[in-house]
Amino acid sequence: MSFARSSIAAAAFIALAACAPPGQSAAPEAGATGPLKIANINAQSGQLSSLGQWEHKGVKLAIDEANKAGGVNGRQIQLDLFDDQGDPTIGTNLARKIASEGYIAMLGTAESAVTLAMAPILKDAKIPNITSGQSPKLAELKSPFLFLNAPTSVTFDETLAKYLVDDKGHKKIALISNNGAYGAGEHDAFLAALKSRNVTPVADEIVTPDQKDFNANLAKIREEEPEVLFIGAEEVQSGLIAKQARELGIEATFAGGAPMGTDVYATTAGTETAEDSVVSSPYLSNEASDEIKAFAAKYKAAYGEDARMHVAKAYDGASILIEALKQTGGEGGQKLADAIRGVKRAGLLGDYTFDANGVGIHETKIGLVKDGKVEPEAAS
């Protein structure tokens, strides 16, 4: 198993950390000077690597800023990056690894299926995990050590249904979703939002997460002449579905969650195909506020590319962890989990208030894709 590692470590502390109980710093007492070991687990290879790479950059930006400002009560944060390859089995093995090597917290992953596989191990090890996954099944675990730095699909898709049905009056809506953890969550949440409005989809097609040819599914959808095609899939697959739908002559408006607000979606679908796609997301634009503008500017200075929702989400999650670590003096375990739950933060995605299920953000907004980028709907 391969993984990249960037560390700010003292060799003596690493030896001590290996002897620490799971979820606990080897030297949490006052006056400790060794680094605090934080794991960032995210796909750096495979189909979901773009998400993992964005997430790592957002996390690293927050950690670098904290370390330059003196760290946590004078102790530096050691950030180690591990590649889960978007694979739950690899994620499970990595969870065991960090539980045995003295890591006191984990940031990631962006993939709900991987996070779901890791969660029981991290719970048993008392390692708090701030994840970017958004499957409702994550909240349903009710793990005291699992925290979501974005809304679940329930919030994303209720906002979407309100816009499409209540505001725009669409009734002929078709669904195509994959049966992975993310896609299934999106499908179920959007279907529930439609049913609450007495809307029955004209078509409801289910595909697999690794499927690339959707012509048979889309041919069935085309027969129903939908006004809207809801796509419940990750970035690349959403783009492929949209591209093939247009090639088959489907003229419906495309709609979905945050994956459709990325340049990966727009590039895969083609800019013309992606135009006017409807996106539900808590983060729509790098121009939304003075705080977001400042964040986007420092991110671009650090990495030479534009910020986006996944970057901001990971930055928020890392910032919350840092704030909680300062409250515990670097101590992990239950004390750190309780501190995270108590953090109230005005973040880039919104105002964080963690509920009993570990969900921190409870609102999304509507945007439209214009020239490959998302603009707030009100500005369209």
Side-chain angles (χ1 to χ4, degrees):
M1 185 183 312
S2 62
F3 59 86
R5 175 165 291 191
S6 98
S7 62
I8 312 165
F13 179 78
I14 292 175
L16 287 170
C19 301
Q24 297 291 332
S25 166
E29 69 275 2
T33 58
L36 300 165
K37 295 177 68 175
I38 306 298
N40 177 213
I41 299 182
N42 262 304
Q44 301 299 296
S45 58
Q47 184 169 307
L48 301 177
S49 60
S50 57
L51 297 186
Q53 290 163 13
W54 292 331
E55 294 256 331
H56 178 59
K57 291 172 184 175
V59 165
K60 190 172 185 303
L61 185 62
I63 299 296
D64 286 348
E65 288 175 351
N67 281 336
K68 288 177 183 176
V72 174
N73 299 344
R75 299 172 67 184
Q76 292 286 284
I77 300 170
Q78 173 184 322
L79 178 66
D80 292 341
L81 173 63
F82 302 87
D83 181 8
D84 63 43
Q85 301 176 40
D87 185 324
T89 300
I90 294 175
T92 298
N93 291 332
L94 287 173
R96 294 192 181 101
K97 178 181 178 63
I98 67 172
S100 68
E101 294 187 0
Y103 288 87
I104 63 170
M106 174 187 146
L107 295 165
T109 71
E111 312 95 32
S112 295
V114 180
T115 302
L116 284 165
M118 298 176 71
I121 297 168
L122 298 176
K123 178 183 177 182
D124 289 345
K126 300 187 186 307
I127 298 177
N129 173 203
I130 300 180
T131 178
S132 290
Q134 62 189 59
S135 169
K137 292 185 181 299
L138 294 168
E140 291 167 9
L141 290 176
K142 300 183 184 298
S143 169
F145 293 92
L146 182 61
F147 302 90
L148 282 65
N149 58 13
T152 69
S153 296
V154 173
T155 299
F156 278 86
D157 295 321
E158 172 61 26
T159 300
L160 198 60
K162 181 180 183 302
Y163 175 77
L164 294 170
V165 179
D166 301 352
D167 298 348
K168 295 299 181 181
H170 293 301
K171 301 293 184 183
K172 295 186 67 177
I173 300 174
L175 282 65
I176 182 168
S177 313
N178 72 43
N179 57 7
Y182 172 76
E186 285 291 293
H187 170 272
D188 294 350
F190 189 64
L191 185 61
L194 291 182
K195 286 184 175 180
S196 73
R197 293 167 168 80
N198 297 315
V199 174
T200 300
V202 297
D204 187 355
E205 290 291 308
I206 304 297
V207 301
T208 62
D210 58 354
Q211 190 169 329
K212 294 181 174 60
D213 184 345
F214 310 96
N215 282 283
N217 307 93
L218 292 169
K220 296 176 185 177
I221 290 172
R222 181 178 59 186
E223 293 177 2
E224 305 299 331
E225 299 181 345
E227 300 166 335
V228 174
L229 177 58
F230 170 84
I231 303 176
E234 291 82 359
E235 285 75 1
V236 173
Q237 193 173 61
S238 292
L240 290 173
I241 290 171
K243 183 175 186 292
Q244 292 174 31
R246 284 288 185 264
E247 289 171 350
L248 282 177
I250 296 174
E251 298 179 356
T253 297
F254 301 128
M260 293 175 64
T262 66
D263 54 353
V264 173
Y265 164 73
T267 300
T268 305
T271 303
E272 184 175 347
T273 294
E275 189 75 2
D276 292 324
S277 293
V278 180
V279 181
S280 175
S281 175
Y283 185 99
L284 295 175
S285 167
N286 289 333
E287 305 294 321
S289 68
D290 289 341
E291 291 78 13
I292 289 175
K293 287 178 183 178
F295 164 75
K298 67 185 178 185
Y299 178 80
K300 190 159 191 175
Y303 295 107
E305 63 184 28
D306 290 336
R308 61 203 77 210
M309 194 270 280
H310 287 286
V311 171
K313 179 165 55 170
Y315 181 90
D316 277 348
S319 299
I320 289 167
L321 175 60
I322 293 163
E323 186 173 335
L325 282 168
K326 289 178 179 178
Q327 292 177 19
T328 69
E331 186 175 339
Q334 186 67 57
K335 188 172 182 180
L336 179 57
D338 292 343
I340 292 171
R341 192 176 303 278
V343 170
K344 312 290 184 187
R345 182 180 177 84
L348 299 168
L349 270 65
D351 293 330
Y352 283 86
T353 302
F354 289 101
D355 63 19
N357 298 333
V359 181
I361 293 285
H362 308 277
E363 181 181 6
T364 65
K365 308 173 185 67
I366 292 294
L368 302 179
V369 177
K370 298 289 185 183
D371 295 323
K373 295 184 178 183
V374 179
E375 296 180 1
E377 192 276 338
S380 63

